[in-house]
Amino acid sequence: MERLKMFINGEWVESSNGEAIDVKNPSSGEVIASIPCGTKEDVSSAVEAAKKAFHDEEWRKVNPHERGDLLFAIADKLKANRDELAKLETIDVGKPLAQGYADVDAAIRYFRFYGGAADKVMGDTIPIEDGLIDYVVREPVGVTAHIIPWNYPIQIISRSVAAAIAMGNTVVVKSAEDTPMTANKLTEYFAELGLPNGVFNHITGYGFEAGAALSGHPSVNHVTFTGSVQTGVAVAQAATANVVPVTLELGGKSPNIVFADCDVEKTVDGVVRAIIQNAGQTCSAGSRLLIEESFKDEFLGKVVNRFKSLEVNAGIEDKDIGPILNEKQFNRVMEFVELAKAEGQIVTGGNRVHVDGYEGGYYLEPTIIDGVSPESKLAQEEIFGPVLTVFTFKDTKEALELANSTEYGLVTGIWTKDINRAHYLASRIDAGQVFVNNYGAGGGVQMPFGGYRKSGFGREKGWIALYNYTVVKNVAIKYGD
Ligand code: NAD
């Protein structure tokens, strides 16, 4: 069993209290590693090291294009270790191996995208009057904190850390206590770069301890958080006390809206993929299926057939669906399944699956729920499992009302050949991303991603995310007599 360490101020360290947390493989329940249980003191050491590194001339003198080169070097290391990393992500998170590869590939693309952007974020000059030059520069914010959820660790760390380093900030990452393995590898790659001490720091440990200390630390200048709404609110409150901006990527209850004129086979495929990816433990999972009423029997029948053909197995076996993260998450999902039995019907699935050789994992049949009201918890709350809830609509107006009827607003899929309808809905849907006749557009490294309402605020991914990690300064210079 591997004993991992944290990385603070250029050194690999244990927790200051010597305590450790076991890390399990969700597919089998086996303990695969242990991580230091980072304390408030450890967080303070990391943040102070990052603050010192930010203000030291050494890091400041690394030019933008050189920061880009550093990020390209990380991309190269990720690529060189692609097989190992994909396997590690699969063992750590439980997702099928092909999804582990997809996540590593996305991480590589984030480092390349933001590496290329490092010397291309420009300022402005503003015409005011003769004898006055006014210009606007975007400077780095300072110490940036990155609090990571367990479901897509390598992707989510990469997207925000690459953007922050590109803009010249220093970084403290708090990885998820359940899935720290690829974060540890990425830390190794950063350690090998020979950056000035304190530019990149990685804390492991519990959210209530290390995460809370990081989000409330007075020397942090920006917090990027991805996780649940409840924790996001706590993080925002802690940061607000220090007048520190936050970027929040929270949950979703994203709909796929299916009209009778859609391309049926492609739509079935898109709808199924949108909910089974990472066993439904995806913030942007398409967890609500809204079908045009007249088309329901035909379309739902095809989705049910596809669900019945899906294979559930350990991540490393690379079938369609892996395990739920752990017993606690599984029990939470099963509470929703029991509620569905009371309020509506289980169309297919709903039972635990016992996988030979992986008895310690918590697996669930892909599940479809029908017959519940749009006000039900099943329609409103994130289930975070391979569970799809079905509704019908009569016309575009009702489809729109249903789509916008939750507190979330992360992603929406629209499936129709009617371009007018697609544009109209895209303009009226409250979601940070709208996909027409696709869902996800191949991972979306370049596309702004984030939520309306309780799905969060601020945007990650794409060019726009670079601005999270800059602060605007205006300089006005008077010249002449
Ligand atoms: P979580 O909120 O429990 O934990 C996220 C991170 O916050 C972890 O690192 C955790 O240790 C830390 N944390 C916990 N309590 C904290 C506190 N009081 N202060 C500071 N940090 C704390 O979420 P999770 O269970 O890891 O992830 C699942 C949730 O994340 C789902 O709701 C999902 O929708 C959401 N999510 C959103 C996105 C997105 O981009 N919108 C991506 C992935 C996951």
Side-chain angles (χ1 to χ4, degrees), residues 17-137:
N17 66 11
E19 286 177 19
I21 304 168
D22 283 345
V23 180
K24 289 184 180 168
N25 175 348
S27 294
S28 63
E30 280 164 341
V31 176
I32 51 174
S34 72
I35 50 169
C37 182
T39 63
K40 199 173 169 190
E41 289 69 34
D42 298 324
V43 169
S44 268
S45 304
V47 173
E48 292 309 330
K51 184 178 175 185
K52 182 168 180 309
F54 182 72
H55 292 289
D56 276 357
E57 288 295 306
E58 196 183 352
W59 179 234
R60 190 173 278 250
K61 288 210 160 76
V62 178
N63 290 315
H65 70 92
E66 293 168 327
R67 296 198 300 265
D69 287 344
L70 292 167
L71 298 176
F72 291 143
I74 296 286
D76 291 345
K77 284 173 189 282
L78 289 167
K79 184 138 196 179
N81 295 288
R82 182 172 176 265
D83 292 335
E84 182 195 359
L85 288 164
K87 198 171 160 201
L88 199 57
E89 194 77 325
T90 286
I91 289 170
D92 200 18
V93 187
K95 56 185 68 184
L97 188 57
Q99 290 174 32
Y101 273 105
D103 288 2
V104 176
D105 289 342
I108 295 168
R109 286 173 59 202
Y110 282 120
F111 279 98
R112 293 208 189 291
F113 182 86
Y114 290 118
D119 60 356
K120 296 175 190 67
V121 173
M122 303 188 192
D124 274 317
T125 57
I126 302 178
I128 295 180
E129 63 185 40
D130 186 45
L132 188 87
I133 291 182
D134 192 278
Y135 64 87
V136 178
V137 280

Side-chain angles (χ1 to χ4, degrees), residues 58-59 119 174 194 245 303 325 334 436 473 476:
E58 196 183 352
W59 179 234
D119 60 356
K174 207 298 272 173
V303 175
L325 177 76
M334 288 311 283
V436 178
K473 180 184 277 175

